[in-house]
Amino acid sequence: MLDIGRGSREGAVSFEVSIKKCGRTKQWSAALRLLREGIRLGVQLVPSHYVAIVSACGKIGQWQHALSVLSEMWEAKLEPDVSYNAGIGACGKGGQWQRALALLGEVRQAQLEPDAIIYNAGISACERGEQWQPALALLSEMQEAKVEPDSATAVGSARVRRTSSGSGLLRC
């Protein structure tokens, strides 16, 4: 049995390891149960606990649960920056490109600077939803914001541009 008692440093480390393992193995419901138990026992939670669950939810299309966990994290006044990427990715994998773009909007409202990872998650969400114009707009915004693209940006950009040109969006 996992000892995640309030005063146990070993318990807190075990808790973090367990919740991350559940996240990596896509066992979102087990991770969520661990989170609830940690809250009940007064374990000091950190953003990585929540992000692991959001990522696990996203891997199997449970975007509703991912957003619920993000909401809990924000209500607990934990730093949201890393969590946005996980939330945008979860929405994209769940076919919710509009919600992914709404989260990207929240990044801006929180006066955080979106990085290549966040833009890539938004572009991927649009791509999955076959929403080429918003994907192209994100690529353009990324360039205007002088965000350094990475290899995922290059791959996503090529796919979006190739597919959108076939749809007539890039005609001059």
Side-chain angles (χ1 to χ4, degrees):
M1 182 167 161
L2 182 63
D3 173 24
I4 57 174
R6 185 184 305 255
S8 167
R9 166 127 171 80
E10 296 82 17
V13 170
S14 295
F15 176 74
E16 184 160 359
V17 168
S18 296
I19 206 163
K20 286 182 176 181
K21 181 179 180 185
C22 288
R24 282 191 308 276
T25 58
K26 302 179 187 178
Q27 296 178 16
W28 66 272
S29 59
L32 198 51
R33 281 193 303 277
L34 273 174
L35 180 71
R36 300 282 180 258
E37 184 67 7
I39 290 168
R40 188 182 72 73
L41 293 173
V43 172
Q44 184 173 355
L45 299 172
V46 295
S48 63
H49 296 136
Y50 291 91
V51 171
I53 297 168
V54 171
S55 295
C57 291
K59 287 175 185 174
I60 57 171
Q62 294 289 329
W63 61 270
Q64 302 97 325
H65 291 291
L67 293 181
S68 175
V69 171
L70 283 178
S71 180
E72 288 179 37
M73 179 182 161
W74 297 327
E75 287 173 15
K77 307 282 191 253
L78 296 174
E79 291 296 316
D81 54 351
V82 176
S83 62
Y84 279 109
N85 176 50
I88 292 167
C91 289
K93 289 174 185 161
Q96 300 296 311
W97 65 272
Q98 300 99 326
R99 291 182 193 273
L101 292 182
L103 281 177
L104 188 54
E106 288 182 26
V107 170
R108 294 182 202 103
Q109 286 178 341
Q111 297 182 345
L112 298 170
E113 295 292 324
D115 60 9
I117 295 169
I118 287 177
Y119 276 112
N120 292 340
I123 292 164
S124 178
C126 291
E127 184 182 1
R128 286 174 185 260
E130 298 183 359
Q131 299 300 313
W132 313 119
Q133 286 182 324
L136 289 168
L138 287 176
L139 285 166
S140 177
E141 179 183 317
M142 187 176 175
Q143 188 174 23
E144 288 171 19
K146 296 183 177 26
V147 173
E148 191 68 33
D150 60 14
S151 59
T153 310
V155 171
S157 173
R159 278 193 312 254
V160 167
R161 291 179 192 281
R162 182 177 53 248
T163 306
S164 64
S165 67
S167 68
L169 290 176
L170 291 179
R171 290 190 192 135
C172 295

